[in-house]
Amino acid sequence: MRKVAGAHIVAAANGAAPLRKSGLADNRQRPIGVFDSGIGGLTVLKELAELLPREDFIYLGDTARLPYGTKSNEVIIRYSRENAEFLLAKGIKLLVIACNTASAVAMDEIATETMVPVIGVIEPGAQSAVKISKSGKIGVIGTEATIASGAYTRMIQRLRPKAEIYTRACPLLVPLVEEGWIDNQIAEQTVSHYLGSLKDSGIDTLLLGCTHYPLLRPLFARVLGRGIRLIDSAGATAGSVRERLSALGLARREGQGRQSFFVTESPDRFIRVGRRFLGPQVESAVRIER
Ligand code: DGL
């Protein structure tokens, strides 16, 4: 894969159709690629589809190899590359890394190697948190790999050097959400356990740095009480995608967008759990071999 600035893209090494300088109208019609380690990225797709209803989306969930949040950087980068290559071969015009873990660990590699614009969730999420926080005391929660990478901390500090950042890995929240346990006693105890020290540190903003956490918003709000604003990266990322598409003249001007789903494991669980994340439009998914 090779990259040239902006939307002026040169030949593709992997068979993907490059965006054409002279064919903006054709480029506009192309789909947007979105990948995640599995199901969680559907929270990002939900925001994207709401904000950009004219666009087609191709979603790849690497369900055979999730979770990414407990894996090493080397493995996360390798998987992310493979996901990006699959989507590029579908002729996408822009790539969204919906997975916080992949964005935290592999964003630089993917962005440098990829022929189309790449948007991850870290920068948009950090920008939102920095904008919302009055005191500059910001909490960040995510998977072990996301927190260990320090990606959110670095980005927040870049945007607001005097920010005080408190982080916490919350590994049990992903399986709880996938199990549908978002409002029972076990979920409440787990969330209270993870968020207790963050609450005590006096943060005024909590950045939900994982695809699954938007489903726990009501519980987070209850446990944290008033006075702590919750920011998730999904909505902010959709806003960044819209801005980038319009800056590059790549936004569709008419029509009704469609979504298609690809997974790397049997689609049954993806469809069943995915409906809770996105809604009834998760009707079918195509399994790809890895
Ligand atoms: N999608 C991942 C993230 O946002 C959570 C699930 C996983 O660990 O793979 O970090």
Side-chain angles (χ1 to χ4, degrees):
M1 292 185 278
R2 244 182 325 147
K3 173 163 184 162
V4 170
H8 306 160
I9 309 297
V10 293
N14 63 354
L19 295 181
R20 285 182 208 295
K21 199 173 178 178
S22 57
L24 259 188
D26 291 343
N27 292 336
R28 243 183 249 136
Q29 292 312 113
R30 293 180 184 217
I32 294 171
V34 181
F35 82 78
D36 178 53
S37 55
I39 300 166
L42 294 175
T43 55
V44 180
L45 182 62
K46 186 168 194 238
E47 300 286 344
L48 284 164
E50 271 170 27
L51 200 64
L52 302 162
R54 292 183 178 141
E55 303 293 341
D56 284 346
F57 293 96
I58 301 181
Y59 181 94
L60 171 63
D62 193 7
T63 45
R65 304 193 293 198
L66 71 84
Y68 283 12
T70 50
K71 299 209 162 53
S72 67
N73 288 2
E74 183 205 328
V75 167
I76 296 164
I77 292 169
R78 174 152 51 87
Y79 290 176
S80 299
R81 275 196 177 117
E82 289 173 16
N83 296 335
E85 276 169 14
F86 171 82
L87 291 167
L88 285 166
K90 297 263 174 222
I92 56 170
K93 62 183 172 184
L94 182 140
L95 176 66
V96 180
I97 307 181
C99 179
N100 286 253
T101 304
S103 297
V105 171
M107 176 71 192
D108 291 348
E109 281 79 2
I110 303 294
T112 356
E113 295 166 359
T114 301
M115 305 163 302
V116 297
V118 180
I119 295 190
V121 293
I122 305 293
E123 190 167 354
Q127 274 169 347
S128 272
V130 161
K131 214 189 287 171
I132 293 286
S133 173
K134 290 204 169 73
S135 67
K137 286 188 169 189
I138 299 171
V140 181
I141 54 175
T143 65
E144 284 172 83
T146 298
I147 297 304
S149 75
Y152 271 119
T153 303
R154 281 194 301 280
M155 188 59 74
I156 293 170
Q157 271 166 348
R158 207 172 86 193
L159 299 166
R160 188 160 169 176
K162 290 200 173 136
E164 270 179 50
I165 303 148
Y166 300 85
T167 61
R168 180 78 155 104
C170 307
L172 288 176
L173 298 186
V174 165
L176 278 176
V177 171
E178 292 202 3
E179 200 57 38
W181 290 12
I182 53 175
D183 203 22
N184 63 16
Q185 220 186 340
I186 294 176
E188 181 154 351
Q189 279 172 357
T190 312
V191 165
S192 303
H193 171 78
Y194 283 140
L195 299 191
S197 57
L198 286 178
K199 193 175 169 184
D200 294 343
S201 61
I203 55 168
D204 74 350
T205 304
L206 179 66
L207 177 47
L208 312 183
C210 176
T211 47
H212 291 58
Y213 301 170
L215 279 89
L216 288 166
R217 246 177 191 272
L219 184 53
F220 287 143
R222 204 163 68 230
V223 168
L224 291 173
R226 286 166 176 230
I228 298 184
R229 303 282 296 273
L230 300 176
I231 299 294
D232 69 66
S233 300
T237 301
S240 291
V241 171
R242 181 167 70 176
E243 272 170 33
R244 186 75 75 87
L245 286 179
S246 84
L248 295 172
L250 285 174
R252 278 198 184 176
R253 298 187 175 160
E254 57 206 22
Q256 173 67 46
R258 286 166 306 171
Q259 294 148 23
S260 46
F261 304 97
F262 292 85
V263 288
T264 53
E265 168 58 294
S266 153
D268 302 354
R269 186 169 188 274
F270 176 83
I271 294 168
R272 183 166 42 84
V273 180
R275 286 182 168 181
R276 283 208 308 271
F277 281 69
L278 185 63
Q281 68 265 46
V282 192
E283 278 174 348
S284 62
V286 175
R287 178 181 178 169
I288 59 164
E289 289 306 323
R290 272 282 154 85

